[in-house]
Amino acid sequence: MFEFWDKLTEEQKEQIKQSVHKETYEKGMLMHRCQENCKGLMTVLSGQLRAYILSDEGREVTLFRVRAGEVCVLSASCLMDTIAFDVMIEAMEETVVSVLPSVVLNQVMKKNPYVELYLYKAATEKFSDVMWTMQQILFQKIDKRVAGFLWDEMSHAGTQTLSLTHDEIAKYIGSAREVVTRVLKYLAENEVISLGRGKIHIEDKEKLKSFL
Amino acid sequence: MFEFWDKLTEEQKEQIKQSVHKETYEKGMLMHRCQENCKGLMTVLSGQLRAYILSDEGREVTLFRVRAGEVCVLSASCLMDTIAFDVMIEAMEETVVSVLPSVVLNQVMKKNPYVELYLYKAATEKFSDVMWTMQQILFQKIDKRVAGFLWDEMSHAGTQTLSLTHDEIAKYIGSAREVVTRVLKYLAENEVISLGRGKIHIEDKEKLKSFL
């Protein structure tokens, strides 16, 4: 279970066991919206989550994704008083999570520094993810970012045919749809990929790699 | 002293007391360069530090600043294994810091979860700062960002005459010098500020506020 498990008392273990439960979210559902709800520590069992920020004008920038087997700590951000920013967390596909509710987590962490340490360590890991994303957005050329995104998706999905719209890609990499469309057309003209309705097929992995 | 002070044993307190020392950095000196050096926990006594990232092409983006009385935790990033990114830290003016060396910090934190917790909490606070910076860069219009920067500088410095070049402002807010010059000229034409050599004078605080 959790890294801090061995540091818990029997009572704390029992308390956690009794409160942990599964929740299922449909694709596109928001499970965390700024400070409004603070579910607790979520472990993704299947599917994946996306954490993003939203501008006043509705522009989205994806910060990171949480995949099966990974823990989502920002859904417990209300318990961490040094976190002073708001993120949105949505299900990118049908996603099943195991939830350790904030109220129980809070009780346990007040008595046990190892639990609090676990939370802050996990948050700092996300800090690293966000720094990576920021450097991508600020410093990397857009063709490299699109190619890198397609490469990662292909590797994670284990298939060369990806179900993705241009708009979705733009949101994930923090760019505009028009820009993504232009890069995808360029990659298609160079026979790296072929484009279908809501689908992108990677024709030539080696060529794609050369763009990374 | 530190938040974790009361949680230390007498021996640990003594160990820290004997190792803490002052260091002085000249303006522009790098005190932390990626993973190359890992001084330890620094408390700024006077002056200020700037943490920034650097692109391959040499472009700088300021992440946050550390002012007198504040603690710089990323100069101990080697002790935090969930931090997987590199920052540069430089002195923005002559800066005196009190250093708790990494080697001592490491010994103490291995035995005391509260010390480790303190470090990760402080890192998460910087995570919040970086998220704010990122939202500024991604979502805010450039005139607002320049005006906001001047406002903050004026408030911190306690004077309406700021010694700053256009290039420095560009680095702090993560933009290009040409863009900053354009905005400053616009603000000067509107009698919000006046421009001198390496100096910016805020003529009208209320007008400046209206740009925020």
Side-chain angles (χ1 to χ4, degrees):
Chain A
M1 214 167 170
F2 298 109
E3 244 175 68
F4 53 71
W5 196 248
D6 292 339
K7 307 280 187 187
L8 299 174
T9 64
E10 286 309 313
E11 195 195 359
Q12 289 167 341
K13 284 182 186 171
E14 201 48 47
Q15 204 182 355
I16 289 177
K17 272 186 199 162
Q18 280 178 12
S19 66
V20 168
H21 61 275
K22 278 188 198 176
E23 288 186 11
T24 303
Y25 290 85
E26 300 299 313
K27 180 178 175 169
M29 263 179 82
L30 272 178
M31 50 224 313
H32 180 83
R33 189 188 161 81
C34 306
Q35 304 297 352
E36 277 172 38
N37 39 23
C38 183
K39 285 254 166 207
L41 200 58
M42 288 185 192
T43 308
V44 177
L45 301 176
S46 67
Q48 60 178 315
L49 305 177
R50 176 173 80 101
Y52 63 97
I53 48 174
L54 194 62
S55 76
D56 292 342
E57 291 88 30
R59 200 180 140 206
E60 293 179 9
V61 173
T62 301
L63 299 173
F64 54 82
R65 289 192 270 169
V66 188
R67 295 187 166 90
E70 295 177 345
V71 163
C72 182
V73 69
L74 290 188
S75 50
S77 61
C78 59
L79 302 182
M80 289 179 273
D81 49 15
T82 53
I83 291 197
F85 56 88
D86 289 336
V87 295
M88 319 279 276
I89 301 170
E90 69 160 22
M92 287 175 62
E93 51 195 85
E94 189 180 277
T95 300
V96 183
V97 295
S98 148
V99 182
L100 168 51
S102 294
V103 57
V104 172
L105 192 58
N106 193 29
Q107 284 168 18
V108 174
M109 95 185 200
K110 274 184 183 162
K111 291 178 194 154
N112 193 319
Y114 291 99
V115 177
E116 202 173 3
L117 182 56
Y118 172 84
L119 281 187
Y120 280 101
K121 266 194 179 178
T124 307
E125 212 171 302
K126 292 303 148 197
F127 186 7
S128 295
D129 288 352
V130 167
M131 286 298 301
W132 189 85
T133 302
M134 188 167 168
Q135 298 194 24
Q136 292 282 312
I137 294 176
L138 292 175
F139 297 148
Q140 264 215 343
K141 292 204 184 69
I142 185 69
D143 55 342
K144 258 191 146 172
R145 277 164 58 203
V146 173
F149 174 79
L150 293 177
W151 183 267
D152 288 346
E153 282 304 299
M154 181 183 73
S155 308
H156 277 291
T159 162
Q160 287 181 238
T161 303
L162 307 171
S163 294
L164 282 166
T165 66
H166 301 192
D167 199 42
E168 283 172 331
I169 297 176
K171 280 181 183 172
Y172 296 150
I173 68 169
S175 183
R177 191 188 50 74
E178 296 74 16
V179 177
V180 169
T181 298
R182 204 183 59 211
V183 176
L184 289 176
K185 270 189 183 160
Y186 174 78
L187 291 174
E189 280 160 14
N190 285 276
E191 289 162 348
V192 182
I193 58 172
S194 59
L195 299 170
R197 183 178 283 274
K199 289 214 186 304
I200 294 166
H201 183 73
I202 287 128
E203 298 283 346
D204 192 328
K205 284 167 80 164
E206 284 311 304
K207 269 194 189 167
L208 181 61
K209 210 171 179 180
S210 72
F211 278 87
L212 301 184
Chain B
M1 211 166 170
F2 297 110
E3 245 175 66
F4 52 74
W5 196 248
D6 293 340
K7 308 278 187 186
L8 298 175
T9 64
E10 286 310 313
E11 195 195 359
Q12 290 168 341
K13 283 181 186 171
E14 203 49 45
Q15 204 182 355
I16 288 178
K17 271 185 198 161
Q18 280 179 11
S19 67
V20 167
H21 61 275
K22 278 188 199 176
E23 288 185 11
T24 303
Y25 291 86
E26 301 299 314
K27 181 178 174 169
M29 264 179 81
L30 271 179
M31 52 224 312
H32 180 84
R33 189 187 160 82
C34 304
Q35 304 297 353
E36 277 171 40
N37 38 24
C38 183
K39 284 256 168 210
L41 200 58
M42 288 186 192
T43 309
V44 177
L45 301 174
S46 67
Q48 60 178 315
L49 306 177
R50 176 173 80 100
Y52 63 96
I53 48 175
L54 194 62
S55 76
D56 292 340
E57 291 87 30
R59 201 179 138 206
E60 293 181 9
V61 173
T62 300
L63 298 174
F64 53 83
R65 288 191 271 170
V66 189
R67 295 187 166 90
E70 294 177 346
V71 162
C72 182
V73 69
L74 290 189
S75 51
S77 61
C78 59
L79 302 182
M80 291 179 273
D81 50 14
T82 52
I83 291 196
F85 56 90
D86 289 336
V87 295
M88 319 279 276
I89 301 171
E90 68 160 22
M92 288 176 62
E93 51 195 83
E94 190 180 276
T95 300
V96 183
V97 295
S98 150
V99 183
L100 168 50
S102 294
V103 57
V104 173
L105 192 59
N106 192 29
Q107 284 166 18
V108 175
M109 98 186 198
K110 274 183 181 161
K111 291 177 192 154
N112 193 320
Y114 292 100
V115 177
E116 202 174 2
L117 181 57
Y118 172 85
L119 281 187
Y120 280 101
K121 267 194 179 177
T124 308
E125 212 171 303
K126 292 303 149 196
F127 186 7
S128 294
D129 288 353
V130 167
M131 286 298 301
W132 189 85
T133 303
M134 187 167 168
Q135 297 195 24
Q136 292 283 311
I137 293 175
L138 292 175
F139 296 150
Q140 263 214 344
K141 291 201 185 70
I142 186 70
D143 55 342
K144 259 191 143 172
R145 276 164 57 202
V146 173
F149 174 80
L150 293 176
W151 184 267
D152 288 345
E153 282 304 297
M154 182 183 74
S155 309
H156 276 289
T159 164
Q160 286 180 241
T161 303
L162 307 171
S163 294
L164 282 165
T165 66
H166 300 192
D167 199 42
E168 283 172 331
I169 297 177
K171 279 181 183 173
Y172 296 151
I173 68 170
S175 182
R177 191 189 50 74
E178 297 74 17
V179 177
V180 169
T181 298
R182 203 182 60 212
V183 176
L184 289 176
K185 271 190 185 160
Y186 174 78
L187 291 174
E189 280 160 14
N190 284 277
E191 290 162 347
V192 182
I193 58 172
S194 59
L195 299 170
R197 183 178 284 273
K199 287 212 186 305
I200 294 166
H201 183 73
I202 286 127
E203 298 284 346
D204 192 329
K205 283 166 81 163
E206 283 312 305
K207 268 194 192 167
L208 181 62
K209 210 173 178 176
S210 72
F211 277 88
L212 302 183

